Amino acid sequence: MKIAIVHDWLTGMRGGEKCLEIFCRLFPEADLHTLLWVEGAVSPEIERHPIRTSFLQKLPFIKSHYRYYLPLMPLAIGQMDLREYDLVLSSSHCVAKGVRTSPEALHVCYCHTPMRYVWDQFDQYFGKDNSSPLVATAMRIVAPFLRRWDVRTSRGVTSYIANSEHVRKRIQKHYQRDSTVIHPPADTVFYQTHGEAREDFFLILSAFAPYKRVDLAVDAFNELGYPLVVVGAGQEADSLRQRARKNIQFKGWLSSEDVRSYLGRCRALIFPGEEDFGITPVEAQAMGTPVIAFGKGGALETVVPDPDSWKAESGIPKPSADQTTGVFFYEATRDSLMASIKHFEEIESRFDPQTIRDQALKFRTEAFAERIRVFIQDQLTHHRC
């Protein structure tokens, strides 16, 4: 059986690439197809596979400005002819699911989200405050085509896996397709405390993309004056640094060991954006670290809020105090985040590191790998019948 794995692009080890790493481990004989590859940007486990790229690989500035080529991505992925493969596993948050496959092939899509740039988060990427007038205007012209393409190519997938219940609902809304939820993996072996003492600072660990809402945290901590360490990089780096006061430190991207150290020493992780899933809160909890999160999206499935910060409209059952792993805020405003931080301070002594870590263990890598393996095996069995 010939197997292909398709991933949008290989430019860094984020949550999607950590899922991809498991796919590569499960199918070591598979060929790997992607729009573009920055050599050395992903793990050896991934780069051990034969990697085939699209024509985008040769375009100028593609490695640093690949999102500007979004209008060309459907064409690039459509030219990837995978009709020789019996099993295609696409890992898609943009266009990967749009590859050409044989009608007889099994195409399983692990969907991180339907094309976020043109659906729910269009304004956060291409609104007037987040892009130049030229780019914003161009994208408003192109977006309807991209949405139609996204829906049309969704029909070429045999079965969908959603990375969260939040994404399952998006798949149903935009594609009118059912999906099975299998949450992404967290490395709970690497992310465990080594006896670090807690220090007096809060932490953000994030790419600096508009929807991550790092700006919200900067504004809140500017007002509070509390120490905040920000680990990450991205398109908003300069504006965030200019916006921040002296109590906020920017560290750039750090090694995994340094990230683990910060997660183990901070008072709490600040998670201010609405994520499809969000692996960082799980990794923080694996370290026994509480999370202060925006109460929408994937955080509802990974963080257990204290009863006083729970709301019925969140759609999750009311937790008991002994299950608590974090605090939620529900309005994407500076004041709402500040109030949740103040509330966290009032109950900080109640958090139990082992209870918090136990929550993270539900998402351990071994469980994810086994669920993916069983799902695909069941799909293959059904497909052959």
Side-chain angles (χ1 to χ4, degrees), residues 93-157:
H93 76 273
C94 190
V95 298
K97 66 164 178 44
V99 292
R100 296 169 65 191
T101 61
S102 165
E104 291 76 33
L106 173 65
H107 181 180
V108 176
C109 175
Y110 188 88
C111 186
H112 303 280
T113 181
M115 205 173 186
R116 66 163 60 96
Y117 308 100
V118 298
W119 293 110
D120 306 74
Q121 296 172 1
F122 179 84
D123 288 337
Q124 292 176 341
Y125 278 96
F126 303 112
K128 63 180 181 180
D129 296 329
N130 297 318
S131 62
S132 69
L134 179 62
V135 171
T137 300
M139 283 306 304
R140 290 191 184 281
I141 294 171
V142 171
F145 159 76
L146 292 174
R147 293 186 188 110
R148 289 193 296 271
W149 178 90
D150 195 34
V151 172
R152 186 179 74 252
T153 56
S154 71
R155 302 178 192 128
V157 173

Side-chain angles (χ1 to χ4, degrees), residues 132-254:
S132 69
L134 179 62
V135 171
T137 300
M139 283 306 304
R140 290 191 184 281
I141 294 171
V142 171
F145 159 76
L146 292 174
R147 293 186 188 110
R148 289 193 296 271
W149 178 90
D150 195 34
V151 172
R152 186 179 74 252
T153 56
S154 71
R155 302 178 192 128
V157 173
T158 313
S159 300
Y160 280 96
I161 304 172
N163 76 348
S164 65
E165 180 64 24
H166 183 58
V167 168
R168 187 195 68 77
K169 293 175 182 177
R170 282 185 184 169
I171 293 171
Q172 181 62 50
K173 176 182 176 181
H174 298 306
Y175 301 160
Q176 287 80 54
R177 296 288 303 272
D178 294 329
S179 56
T180 299
V181 176
I182 301 179
H183 292 119
D187 188 348
T188 55
V189 175
F190 180 81
Y191 288 102
Q192 59 179 308
T193 183
H194 290 79
E196 298 92 345
R198 294 290 172 182
E199 298 179 19
D200 185 23
F201 68 90
F202 293 85
L203 179 69
I204 281 188
L205 174 58
S206 176
F208 297 163
Y211 77 97
K212 301 286 188 178
R213 296 312 313 267
V214 178
D215 62 309
L216 198 66
V218 168
D219 289 346
F221 279 85
N222 277 344
E223 185 69 20
L224 290 168
Y226 296 171
L228 175 67
V229 172
V230 183
V231 176
Q235 66 196 80
E236 295 192 313
D238 290 341
S239 63
L240 289 170
R241 288 175 184 273
Q242 292 168 6
R243 191 177 191 136
R245 295 179 180 170
K246 292 182 179 179
N247 56 301
I248 301 175
Q249 299 180 45
F250 289 82
K251 300 293 185 179
W253 284 124
L254 299 176

Side-chain angles (χ1 to χ4, degrees), residues 258-317:
D258 286 339
V259 167
R260 178 176 61 188
S261 176
Y262 275 109
L263 284 171
R265 292 184 288 122
C266 68
R267 292 173 66 182
L269 177 78
I270 308 295
F271 194 68
E274 180 179 348
E275 290 276 5
D276 309 318
F277 175 73
I279 200 68
T280 303
V282 182
E283 292 170 344
Q285 289 173 102
M287 300 291 296
T289 298
V291 179
I292 300 172
F294 185 46
K296 290 186 179 181
L300 295 173
E301 300 172 53
T302 60
V303 180
V304 181
D306 76 291
D308 291 335
S309 73
W310 170 86
K311 288 188 176 181
E313 53 264 38
S314 66
I316 60 174

